[in-house]
Amino acid sequence: MRSTRYVLTAGAAVTALLATACAGAGAGGSSGGGESINVLMVGNPQMEDVAKLTKDTFTKDTGIKVNFTVLPENELRDKVTQDIATQAGQYDVATIGAYEVPIWEKNGWLHELGSYADKDKGFDKADLLKPMVQSLSGSDGKLYALPFYGESSFLMYRKDVFAEKGLEMPEHPTWQQVADLAAKADGARPGMNGICLRGLPGWGELGAPLTSMVNTFGGTWFTEEWKAQVNSGGFKDATKFYVDLVRKHGEAGAAQAGYTECLNAMSQGKVAMWYDATAAAGALEDPKTSKAAGKIGYAYAPVEKTNSSGWLWAWAWAMPKTTKKADAASKFMLWASSKDYEKLVGEKLGWARVPAGKRLSTYQLPEYKKAAASFGDITLESIQQADPANPGVQPRPTVGIQFVAIPEFQDLGTKVTQEISAAIVGKTSVDKALDNGQKLAEEVAGNHR
């Protein structure tokens, strides 16, 4: 876990954050006059862009200063859960996702945001993609988070490397085909590994790609009757396949590699393939930060026993009930999720970097269609065909593709992935890791029978 930390006020020190791919520190107060809000967000490229653009646009227009706290994903999840669950009230806005929203809404921790969106005629709530709206709505059908960007998952690969090696990527590959291609692409360039797959523990890090693989291998965390399945059937088959593939042909230091590390590995030409979020494509196609820009092909998420396997996620802006600055916070969230903000990113930073995956109109913009020609259509289709209610081959007790939508999963998923990450390093066997995970899952299952 990285410990280097930075304080980011809108428009400051973003280049340092981009260079190190890490961030952090507590939210500060305003410097000077005017109202200020504190925003806690994950340190992905799209968030780094909003931090870079806020001061000279949103703050200039509204007078509202934004103090950003930017953290790696695992640290972000710990921090935001602690702040919101304990009602600490340190932050006015936080990035959360499809897992947290329905659970936290039931707990009464979040402001309803649909009414703010309805009052803002320029926001155009009807333009939001239905899967995003559904995933960010509460049990009452109201919107409790505004999507900043949405994603599914797909396979990214180096077209030039494949051409040199005489390899062909199917549009809908199987995982066995991916493994065969990884073996052939391994070492194609000096220091290049065949594939990057997250090995960093965390339910939203290693847990996301692994669980989507578990689904298509015929496995599940729990049966419809809440019987734990972690050490049997498709869950075990998928985990052994995943660990074996990473150990044979994966990136160096895989057990410490999460989304950010794999993004860097792919953009710097250190791996030939990467299975991960569709949102990564924008950064990979930016020639200012990626050596692989223009050289990457995209295929649908690999499958085995299902027709599709892409996950569904949105990083979204949420407002804790504890904020005393709801008006200012809502203005920031509406701006950051607006059509105008997308156009701002396109004009200032490049159209490939637009935080897409949330609005239908984005995929109709001529500038974006041109910039996203290689990945836009497959991203939109993957999002639209994702089915959180039926992601595998058997009925589930609750929804979720790359997670199980219960409060205990945050802890369960993290602990089980710690076991599996240890197997990647070779500190334990997959069988022992999953046996330990089964015991944890059985304890959770007992709470739901």
Side-chain angles (χ1 to χ4, degrees):
M1 197 65 74
R2 292 159 297 206
S3 60
T4 306
R5 305 171 73 84
Y6 296 86
V7 178
L8 284 175
T9 299
V14 175
T15 53
L17 176 62
L18 289 168
T20 58
C22 58
S30 62
S31 55
E35 190 169 14
S36 69
I37 59 172
N38 296 327
V39 176
L40 175 63
M41 61 186 185
V42 67
N44 291 344
Q46 294 88 340
M47 282 71 172
E48 293 163 354
D49 286 345
V50 77
K52 186 175 183 179
L53 294 171
T54 296
K55 182 179 179 180
D56 293 334
T57 50
F58 176 78
T59 299
K60 183 178 180 181
D61 292 340
T62 66
I64 300 169
K65 297 181 180 180
V66 184
N67 305 307
F68 291 106
T69 299
V70 189
L71 298 174
E73 185 168 328
N74 282 342
E75 293 181 31
L76 176 281
R77 294 187 191 282
D78 290 343
K79 186 75 171 177
V80 71
T81 301
Q82 179 185 29
D83 185 73
I84 293 180
T86 62
Q87 307 286 289
Q90 188 176 2
Y91 301 98
D92 304 296
V93 177
T95 54
I96 62 175
Y99 166 72
E100 293 91 354
V101 170
I103 297 173
W104 292 5
E105 176 271 323
K106 287 183 180 179
N107 291 339
W109 295 345
L110 302 176
H111 264 289
E112 179 272 322
L113 299 180
S115 59
Y116 288 96
D118 289 334
K119 293 175 185 177
D120 186 341
K121 295 181 180 180
F123 184 77
D124 191 5
K125 190 174 76 173
D127 183 45
L128 297 176
L129 296 174
K130 288 184 179 179
M132 295 298 124
V133 174
Q134 291 170 350
S135 68
L136 300 175
S137 295
S139 56
D140 56 5
K142 296 179 181 179
L143 200 60
Y144 281 84
L146 299 180
F148 181 48
Y149 70 84
E151 65 184 33
S152 183
S153 54
F154 57 20
L155 186 68
M156 298 155 272
Y157 65 98
R158 285 288 295 268
K159 294 186 295 184
D160 55 338
V161 172
F162 272 50
E164 292 168 9
K165 300 288 290 185
L167 306 177
E168 292 187 12
M169 174 64 74
E171 185 179 22
H172 293 272
T174 66
W175 271 111
Q176 187 57 57
Q177 288 174 324
V178 172
D180 293 342
L181 290 168
K184 294 173 181 177
D186 205 347
R189 300 277 177 85
M192 177 177 280
N193 297 111
I195 193 168
C196 200
L197 293 171
R198 303 187 199 183
L200 183 68
W203 72 265
E205 283 283 6
L206 166 57
L210 175 63
T211 301
S212 71
M213 184 187 285
V214 166
N215 294 333
T216 195
F217 269 71
T220 182
W221 283 83
F222 302 100
T223 68
E224 190 175 25
E225 296 78 24
W226 286 106
K227 292 182 179 179
Q229 301 289 293
V230 171
N231 67 345
S232 62
F235 202 112
K236 177 175 281 190
D237 294 341
T239 305
K240 286 188 172 182
F241 190 95
Y242 193 101
V243 171
D244 185 61
L245 180 54
V246 173
R247 295 192 67 177
K248 287 183 177 178
H249 306 296
E251 70 279 12
Q256 296 299 318
Y259 174 82
T260 299
E261 290 75 20
C262 283
L263 174 62
N264 289 339
M266 191 72 182
S267 65
Q268 298 306 307
K270 295 180 180 179
V271 293
M273 290 188 293
W274 178 26
Y275 169 63
D276 214 297
T278 56
L284 291 175
E285 296 296 344
D286 183 356
K288 294 188 289 292
T289 58
S290 174
K291 295 179 181 179
K295 302 175 183 178
I296 300 175
Y298 302 89
Y300 289 89
V303 295
E304 281 297 316
K305 296 181 179 181
T306 58
N307 293 326
S308 63
S309 68
W311 68 57
L312 182 67
W313 185 255
W315 278 114
W317 306 110
M319 189 197 307
K321 276 281 188 73
T322 50
T323 182
K324 294 179 174 62
K325 301 178 180 179
D327 183 61
S330 66
K331 288 179 180 178
F332 170 77
M333 292 186 291
L334 290 166
W335 170 75
S337 289
S338 68
K339 295 178 184 179
D340 287 342
Y341 177 75
E342 290 191 353
K343 292 179 181 178
L344 176 68
V345 173
E347 293 167 357
K348 295 288 187 180
L349 304 177
W351 286 96
R353 287 168 64 168
V354 166
K358 66 177 181 292
R359 291 183 173 275
L360 183 60
S361 61
T362 307
Y363 296 89
Q364 299 168 346
L365 291 170
E367 299 94 339
Y368 183 75
K369 289 175 69 174
K370 181 179 179 180
S374 60
F375 63 87
D377 289 343
I378 187 174
T379 295
L380 182 59
E381 186 173 343
S382 295
I383 289 172
Q384 292 176 326
Q385 71 182 12
D387 186 0
N390 298 287
V393 301
Q394 70 281 93
R396 309 296 173 95
T398 185
V399 298
I401 300 178
Q402 74 278 26
F403 57 84
V404 182
I406 54 175
E408 301 98 324
F409 186 73
Q410 181 163 329
D411 182 61
L412 173 64
T414 295
K415 287 180 178 178
V416 174
T417 55
Q418 287 170 347
E419 296 281 348
I420 296 170
S421 185
I424 291 175
V425 176
K427 292 182 178 180
T428 188
S429 67
V430 171
D431 285 340
K432 185 174 181 180
L434 295 184
D435 285 344
N436 291 339
Q438 176 71 9
K439 294 175 183 177
L440 296 169
E442 287 175 350
E443 291 178 7
V444 170
N447 298 331
H448 295 271
R449 293 198 189 110

